[in-house]
Amino acid sequence: MEQHAAPQPARARSLSDLNRHVPVHVVWEITLSCNLKCQHCGSRAGKRRSNELSTEEAFSVIDQLAALGTREITLIGGEAYLRRDWLQLVERIAGHGIRCGMQTGARALTRKRLEDGKQAGLFGIGVSLDGMEDLHDRLRGVKGSWQEGLHAIEYAKEIGLGASCNTQIGAETIDHLEPLFNRLIQAGASHWQLQITVAMGNAVENDHLLLQPHRILELMPLLSRLYTEGLSREFLLTFGNNLGYFGPYEHLWRGFGDEKLHWTGCAAGQNVIGLEADGTIKGCPSLATETYGGGNVRLESVADLWNHSPELHFGRLRDIDSLWGFCRTCYYADVCRGGCTWTSDSLFGKPGNNPYCHYRALELEKRGVRETVRKVAPAPNKPFATGLFELIEEAIPGRDVVPATPRPEPFQPVRHAGEPLPRMHLCRNCSQYVWPHERTCPHCSADIAAAQAHHDREIARQQAVLQELRTVLDRLKQLTTP
């Protein structure tokens, strides 16, 4: 059957965006004030920061982002609508033609608040729901918050706002994903973004909530099935930067139907900006402030910080020499560069070795081993604080362990840091990405050209069948038309 690419959101990155480092998407914590008590909150939100930007300062930031080419700004908190001037900020953003959305826990997010937001220029909301009702309310610390979240989605849909959901996947979440998928469609949500709960802030204290890396093997086939079903029901699953990477489903996750777009490394400081309520700027909103804070917009222009702050543009300069452990010798090392910086840095105090990788879990499974993480040091009691975890490789129960063989150095294209990113191609036999120079797939040993030719013939056959069916239906329609 024909498959059509899903409509691309404003934050979708083109190859031009990637190569020119356009800050396409900005995630802005406009206040740290919050009315939920989430056990896994990385920013430890609750009380507003003592020195949050004034309205005029925030206006200046918006104007500067517009000049840099930003196409989408997502307001977050804490809880963004608890800031008194949030509607003024929405109006200023929308006035520049920038799409403005809001991520929310949705407690006390009334229809009136949403109507006011729409009038100011709000495009849509993403509501955080982390499972079905009992699990969500327990994780978020407020009974009734699940129902309020669903009501917010329904209200948004009724008044013509975009309505989506975002879900953190932790130790208890997998069994909740399919029923939540169905409930979200029923509520009228159009998109569902998923990501792994990361060991930061409150989640370090509640480390029992973290998904163990080896459970990626359960998760990814389920998400692939839900993704495909979602397309048939006009419901799009999107994937956060700490979920997936390479493996047989990578071609589904990144390009919204365009298989040419795959994971190309941490986007922090490349096409994403994170802002904190006090004006601190980061290459990603989730990164630890002490390590990755790249200056303050009160003191320097956004453009100067974006172009010159090393804490922001570290991702542009990273190469495989910054990798370690499994990631250092991985086949995908040069293009992946260790996956999500936030995830690995929060666990181990440095980026470059990310156990939450589907390809990695599959490779380890072939040897009869799996990885788990275990906390060895707590996190300080402040926003975006990290502790320390150790990585443990253990035998899969009931399996014989195959000793590890020395891993060869990965293929390295002739590319220096800052040069255009390499583009890989899909092996049509195993749906894994391969480098352009490959003739035989290193993953399944197929002849790559022959597999592509077979795929092209099959697509042509399917299209011919569809065209024949359309012709028959047209003839039947003509026969039955008076």
Side-chain angles (χ1 to χ4, degrees):
M1 298 294 290
E2 287 182 290
Q3 288 191 354
H4 299 285
Q8 294 200 6
R11 75 181 69 171
R13 298 173 295 161
S14 67
L15 289 174
S16 175
D17 293 328
L18 292 169
N19 293 329
R20 294 189 300 114
H21 304 299
V22 176
V24 171
H25 185 210
V26 174
V27 181
W28 190 355
E29 168 211 291
I30 59 173
T31 182
L32 203 56
S33 179
C34 191
N35 52 14
L36 291 173
K37 304 172 184 178
C38 302
Q39 295 182 42
H40 51 340
C41 180
S43 64
R44 299 189 191 272
K47 297 181 180 179
R48 69 185 302 273
R49 295 180 189 268
S50 60
N51 55 345
E52 295 182 351
L53 295 177
S54 69
T55 303
E56 290 302 320
E57 287 172 327
F59 282 172
S60 175
V61 170
I62 293 165
D63 297 344
Q64 293 176 67
L65 292 172
L68 283 171
T70 295
R71 297 198 292 269
E72 181 169 354
I73 295 177
T74 301
L75 302 181
I76 63 170
E79 191 59 82
Y81 57 80
L82 296 182
R83 178 169 165 139
R84 292 181 179 179
D85 62 356
W86 75 282
L87 293 172
Q88 294 173 260
L89 303 188
V90 171
E91 186 173 16
R92 186 78 164 212
I93 292 167
H96 281 288
I98 298 172
R99 180 173 292 187
C100 182
M102 180 173 68
Q103 291 293 335
T104 173
R107 185 183 180 193
L109 183 54
T110 62
R111 185 186 180 104
K112 175 65 165 58
R113 274 184 165 142
L114 288 170
E115 289 172 342
D116 290 343
K118 182 183 179 184
Q119 184 174 357
L122 190 69
F123 175 81
I125 61 169
V127 176
S128 297
L129 293 172
D130 292 328
M132 297 302 283
E133 186 169 7
D134 290 346
L135 175 61
H136 174 87
D137 284 0
R138 173 160 50 85
L139 292 176
R140 296 280 168 173
V142 176
K143 190 170 180 60
S145 59
W146 189 81
Q147 289 288 350
E148 288 189 279
L150 279 179
H151 290 328
I153 291 172
E154 292 165 349
Y155 294 153
K157 194 73 175 178
E158 289 170 5
I159 66 174
L161 278 174
S164 66
C165 174
N166 55 283
T167 295
Q168 292 200 33
I169 301 173
E172 301 178 66
T173 315
I174 292 178
D175 291 341
H176 290 247
L177 292 176
E178 187 157 11
L180 183 57
F181 167 87
N182 288 310
R183 187 64 184 87
L184 292 172
I185 293 174
Q186 181 184 349
S190 60
H191 293 68
W192 188 21
Q193 178 171 306
L194 300 118
Q195 66 182 47
I196 302 293
T197 298
V198 170
M200 174 175 274
N202 292 348
V204 181
E205 294 178 9
N206 300 294
D207 56 298
H208 62 281
L209 299 177
L210 301 177
L211 185 76
Q212 287 296 341
H214 62 84
R215 297 194 65 196
I216 290 290
L217 296 174
E218 301 172 53
L219 176 64
M220 302 312 288
L222 171 62
L223 294 183
S224 173
R225 179 169 62 81
L226 293 180
Y227 178 89
T228 303
E229 182 180 342
L231 290 181
S232 69
R233 299 172 69 179
E234 298 184 343
F235 183 62
L236 180 63
L237 274 66
T238 63
F239 297 85
N241 290 332
N242 70 352
L243 182 61
Y245 315 122
F246 293 93
Y249 310 123
E250 171 63 23
H251 64 289
L252 301 177
W253 308 146
R254 312 296 168 188
F256 302 98
D258 184 351
E259 294 175 349
K260 296 189 297 294
L261 297 178
H262 51 73
W263 175 256
T264 51
C266 173
Q270 299 192 72
N271 302 106
V272 177
I273 288 177
L275 284 168
E276 295 181 0
D278 63 359
T280 299
I281 190 169
K282 299 186 290 189
C284 166
S286 303
L287 288 168
T289 306
E290 287 192 359
T291 309
Y292 293 97
N296 195 291
V297 297
R298 280 190 170 115
L299 305 176
E300 297 180 67
S301 72
V302 177
D304 283 346
L305 292 167
W306 176 249
N307 291 320
H308 303 296
S309 172
E311 290 85 0
L312 263 66
H313 64 227
F314 73 93
R316 307 177 201 176
L317 304 177
R318 283 181 61 191
D319 56 26
I320 64 170
D321 290 334
S322 66
L323 306 182
W324 56 283
F326 183 100
C327 289
R328 177 61 181 85
T329 56
C330 178
Y331 175 81
Y332 294 106
D334 191 66
V335 67
C336 181
R337 292 175 295 158
C340 171
T341 300
W342 173 38
T343 303
S344 52
D345 189 80
S346 296
L347 286 169
F348 309 124
K350 58 180 178 178
N353 189 26
N354 190 339
Y356 288 96
C357 166
H358 191 207
Y359 174 77
R360 174 173 175 156
L362 288 167
E363 291 295 294
L364 292 173
E365 185 189 32
K366 292 176 184 177
R367 292 182 41 228
V369 298
R370 66 185 191 182
E371 290 179 318
T372 60
V373 292
R374 182 171 62 193
K375 183 172 68 176
V376 295
N381 186 22
K382 52 187 176 181
F384 299 103
T386 59
L388 187 65
F389 287 72
E390 63 178 345
L391 183 63
I392 300 168
E393 186 177 289
E394 60 188 20
I396 297 174
R399 291 277 301 274
D400 293 330
V401 175
V402 177
T405 56
R407 297 180 60 83
E409 286 294 307
F411 167 72
Q412 299 178 44
V414 181
R415 183 176 75 96
H416 300 287
E419 291 184 349
L421 292 161
R423 182 188 296 179
M424 305 187 82
H425 305 290
L426 203 61
C427 170
R428 295 297 180 180
N429 188 62
C430 67
S431 296
Q432 301 257 35
Y433 281 94
V434 295
W435 292 105
H437 77 290
E438 305 276 17
R439 299 293 176 265
T440 300
C441 178
H443 312 297
C444 69
S445 301
D447 182 308
I448 294 171
Q452 183 66 50
H454 175 77
H455 171 80
D456 292 343
R457 288 194 299 270
E458 182 62 18
I459 292 297
R461 185 191 67 80
Q462 291 176 7
Q463 291 176 340
V465 169
L466 285 171
Q467 183 57 50
E468 184 177 350
L469 179 60
R470 292 190 189 102
T471 301
V472 170
L473 291 174
D474 287 343
R475 288 173 181 171
L476 287 173
K477 184 176 180 181
Q478 292 172 2
L479 290 173
T480 57
T481 300

